[in-house]
Amino acid sequence: MNDMTAPIAFTPADFKSDYKPIWCPGCGDYTVLSSLTKALAKLQRAPHEVAVVSGIGCSSRIPAYTTCYGFHGVHGRALAAGTGLKVARPDLTVIVAGGDGDGYSIGGNHFLHACRRNVDMTYLVMDNHVYGMTKGQASPTTEPDWDNKLSPGGTGIRSFHPLVIALASGANFVARAFSGDPNGTADTIAQAISHPGFSFVEILSPCVTFRPDQRRWKELVHPAPVAETDDPARAARRIMTDDGFNIGVLYAGRRPGYAPRHPASATPADIEQEFALP
Ligand SMILES: Cc1ncc(C[n+]2csc(CCOP(=O)(O)OP(=O)(O)O)c2C)c(N)n1
Ligand code: SF4
């Protein structure tokens, strides 16, 4: 006989929606989706206690593939929407997700300020060093010498360094993961969600269509040879000098997160009042 008093145990399948992803076969984002659902099952959050917020891009389709609350917004504005949601509904676990173009290019300014504000939420960037959805333009993390027909000979522009920028801007948790390691990525995502404040996880997630060279990433990634630290100067030195393929939690800080002044029961009108000019 079923025990009607036993708590419901969620499995990864409970977080997967009935929509079939339309990513290209072999895209790294498939395993990021399974890592996210595994992480949520590990934490035993109910789907209705979680919101997944995104902008625009192949990777930004992820909210629709979960059973959590979802918000698929406009390009580069996912962090702004996620911040507003978390401040208005602190009871929700807010996960913002998207690509390197969405988060570091058009959304770059929001990235800096989300790290600085340190609102308690998790930001997952599926970084494939390219704009996948719009057919292969260079992104901020593209290597300067990546030769392709849209930027012959490469852009010649130094790559953006998201981890050190997150750290310098005030993110309270900084990690790198690889989509080809779904269990490790699930553990890192679970740790990021559980860590207070703004947690940033850069997930190397190959775009097999426009960057087939990234199939080689599975040979290049390796566990970070150093343990996580809560010392930002130490973490910065390590991150600045690593090869870009160290996988693991690189920084777990102790900076208190932003605490909204209003109670969880506040209405949007109460919150608006907080910002009213005298
Ligand atoms: C305001 C605005 N500018 C440009 C676009 C076109 N656009 C859509 S997705 C995208 C880039 C997506 O790249 P990324 O965020 O890296 O995601 P990926 O597709 O690689 O997962 C761009 C430039 C848009 N939708 N809206
Ligand atoms: S274009 Fe690239 S990022 Fe987009 S679904 Fe295909 S493989 Fe993935």
Side-chain angles (χ1 to χ4, degrees):
M1 207 170 84
N2 285 341
D3 176 3
M4 304 297 281
T5 59
I8 298 168
F10 295 104
T11 68
D14 293 315
F15 296 93
K16 279 199 177 138
S17 76
D18 294 336
Y19 290 107
K20 200 171 146 26
I22 58 165
W23 292 313
C24 309
C27 175
D29 297 350
Y30 283 99
T31 37
V32 178
L33 173 64
S34 0
S35 299
L36 174 60
T37 59
K38 277 186 191 151
L40 292 170
K42 190 176 167 116
L43 296 171
Q44 287 295 298
R45 299 278 199 285
H48 72 272
E49 293 170 335
V50 181
V52 185
V53 177
S54 72
I56 299 292
C58 299
S59 42
S60 291
R61 294 184 186 277
I62 202 164
Y65 304 141
T66 77
T67 51
C68 305
Y69 284 118
F71 184 80
H72 188 187
V74 290
H75 196 33
R77 299 296 177 262
L79 282 168
T83 304
L85 177 60
K86 182 65 188 180
V87 171
R89 285 285 309 272
D91 55 309
L92 287 177
T93 293
V94 175
I95 295 162
V96 179
D100 41 305
D102 189 76
Y104 308 147
S105 200
I106 190 169
N109 197 32
H110 291 282
F111 177 49
L112 304 183
H113 295 287
C115 295
R116 189 169 73 84
R117 287 192 185 102
N118 201 23
V119 170
D120 185 20
M121 56 191 196
T122 299
Y123 186 34
L124 308 178
V125 174
M126 286 157 262
D127 192 348
N128 53 19
H129 300 184
V130 76
Y131 292 1
M133 179 171 264
T134 46
K135 303 208 176 302
Q137 299 88 352
S139 88
T141 46
T142 302
E143 305 78 354
D145 58 352
W146 180 58
D147 184 28
N148 73 103
K149 62 176 189 271
L150 295 172
S151 38
T155 62
I157 302 170
R158 179 192 162 104
S159 312
F160 188 78
H161 201 321
L163 289 96
V164 82
I165 287 166
L167 185 69
S169 309
N172 208 32
F173 180 97
V174 176
R176 190 188 283 119
F178 172 51
S179 63
D181 169 24
N183 291 331
T185 301
D187 289 345
T188 304
I189 295 175
Q191 221 179 314
I193 294 172
S194 305
H195 196 81
F198 186 79
S199 297
F200 168 57
V201 187
E202 154 94 350
I203 309 175
L204 298 171
S205 179
C207 171
V208 291
T209 300
F210 295 105
R211 297 292 313 257
D213 54 307
Q214 292 174 348
R215 290 184 189 273
R216 214 166 62 91
W217 278 358
K218 61 175 177 301
E219 287 138 38
L220 300 179
V221 295
H222 52 89
V226 288
E228 75 186 47
T229 175
D230 62 359
D231 175 355
R234 218 162 155 206
R237 218 171 19 251
R238 287 170 174 177
I239 296 170
M240 278 301 282
T241 53
D242 82 4
D243 61 358
F245 291 99
N246 275 325
I247 302 303
V249 177
L250 301 165
Y251 174 72
R254 297 168 190 271
R255 194 160 82 89
Y258 169 84
R261 275 175 295 173
H262 54 264
S265 58
T267 64
D270 298 330
I271 298 168
E272 211 172 299
Q273 202 51 41
E274 264 188 46
F275 296 96
L277 295 173

